[in-house]
Amino acid sequence: QVQLQESGPGLVKPSGTLSLTCAVSGGSISSSNWWSWVRQPPGKGLEWIGEIYHSGSTNYNPSLKSRVTISVDKSKNQFSLKLSSVTAADTAVYYCARLHGIAASSDAFDIWGQGTMVTVSS
Amino acid sequence: SSELTQDPAVSVALGQTVRITCQGDSLRSYYASWYQQKPGQAPVLVIYGKNNRPSGIPDRFSGSSSGNTASLTITGAQAEDEADYYCNSRDSSGNHLFGGGTKLTVL
């Protein structure tokens, strides 16, 4: 079965760039799914960051779009997140997730990574 | 509007039925999906589409929708159902949205 595993630094300095990778195992990143990043600040709700298809097509949350880049590496079966100009407000658990479904009207995030905590602090 | 609104907290007596709701204009065009999240764990998909349960999700979980409101119903709530529940859909631009979450307490 498909599994996702996030990795990356747990501490990032203010104004720096947060970089995370999500490794896909048990399946191909080139399958007919979109791959997303979702974050959750401590004690708060879930926020969708953006998504990528294996072709490289992306969609981003408008509130983060100017700072976010999501990329895919098919040779390594993984996708990555870069978030620039970070502040303390970007401190959160970051999850990668698979979006599964035939139609946009009924798709869902069916597989999630365990999440990785990223703290923005000097 | 491009928001999904959930009640912050709901409680239910053990074995009783509880409905958790999610309101938003986008729900007139898109089905909601529902996620259960227990402390320190990643969210788990419990309902998607019209009323579909992933493998392994008990049949006491069901979903429905009417107008701008989607509902997650737990029929015969168990102690292990105590968790935060989030709805998800898309806005008019096709971007994903999450509701603010509902904390379910099983008494």
Side-chain angles (χ1 to χ4, degrees):
Chain A
Q1 69 281 19
V2 175
Q3 293 184 311
L4 306 179
Q5 179 66 57
E6 305 90 348
S7 62
L11 181 64
V12 181
K13 294 187 186 303
S15 77
T17 297
L18 179 160
S19 297
L20 296 174
T21 295
C22 181
V24 180
S25 60
S28 174
I29 202 168
S30 296
S31 59
S32 301
N33 298 288
W34 286 77
W35 306 89
S36 274
W37 288 97
V38 176
R39 71 180 182 179
Q40 184 172 36
K44 297 188 177 182
L46 302 170
E47 179 181 33
W48 177 71
I49 298 171
E51 63 184 358
I52 191 164
Y53 198 67
H54 61 78
S55 63
S57 295
T58 54
N59 296 302
Y60 299 132
N61 185 327
S63 69
L64 299 169
K65 188 173 184 177
S66 63
R67 299 194 291 132
V68 173
T69 302
I70 298 176
S71 59
V72 64
D73 187 335
K74 290 186 284 186
S75 67
K76 294 183 178 179
N77 217 37
Q78 64 186 33
F79 62 107
S80 299
L81 167 70
K82 289 188 185 299
L83 181 65
S84 63
S85 304
V86 297
T87 69
D90 295 310
T91 294
V93 175
Y94 285 76
Y95 295 100
C96 56
R98 185 181 81 168
L99 183 70
H100 183 69
I102 297 174
S105 60
S106 60
D107 54 16
F109 299 104
D110 66 334
I111 299 174
W112 294 70
Q114 65 183 26
T116 187
M117 180 69 199
V118 178
T119 301
V120 178
S121 175
S122 55
Chain B
S1 79
S2 60
E3 292 182 345
L4 295 177
T5 302
Q6 297 184 241
D7 291 328
V10 171
S11 62
V12 61
L14 184 67
Q16 296 303 300
T17 296
V18 62
R19 176 174 293 182
I20 298 170
T21 61
C22 174
Q23 288 190 303
D25 288 343
S26 65
L27 297 176
R28 298 182 186 278
S29 304
Y30 298 99
Y31 287 111
S33 53
W34 290 93
Y35 304 84
Q36 176 192 72
Q37 187 180 36
K38 297 181 180 180
Q41 297 183 19
V44 173
L45 176 66
V46 294
I47 290 290
Y48 66 98
K50 190 174 183 180
N51 181 20
N52 301 301
R53 282 177 289 106
S55 174
I57 301 301
D59 60 6
R60 62 178 179 271
F61 290 88
S62 63
S64 61
S65 183
S66 179
N68 73 336
T69 302
S71 301
L72 172 70
T73 300
I74 307 174
T75 304
Q78 301 300 302
E80 60 264 32
D81 299 333
E82 186 162 291
D84 293 329
Y85 290 85
Y86 294 90
C87 62
N88 169 262
S89 184
R90 293 177 181 266
D91 64 17
S92 57
S93 298
N95 296 310
H96 293 277
L97 284 173
F98 285 96
T102 296
K103 182 178 182 60
L104 175 67
T105 300
V106 179
L107 303 171

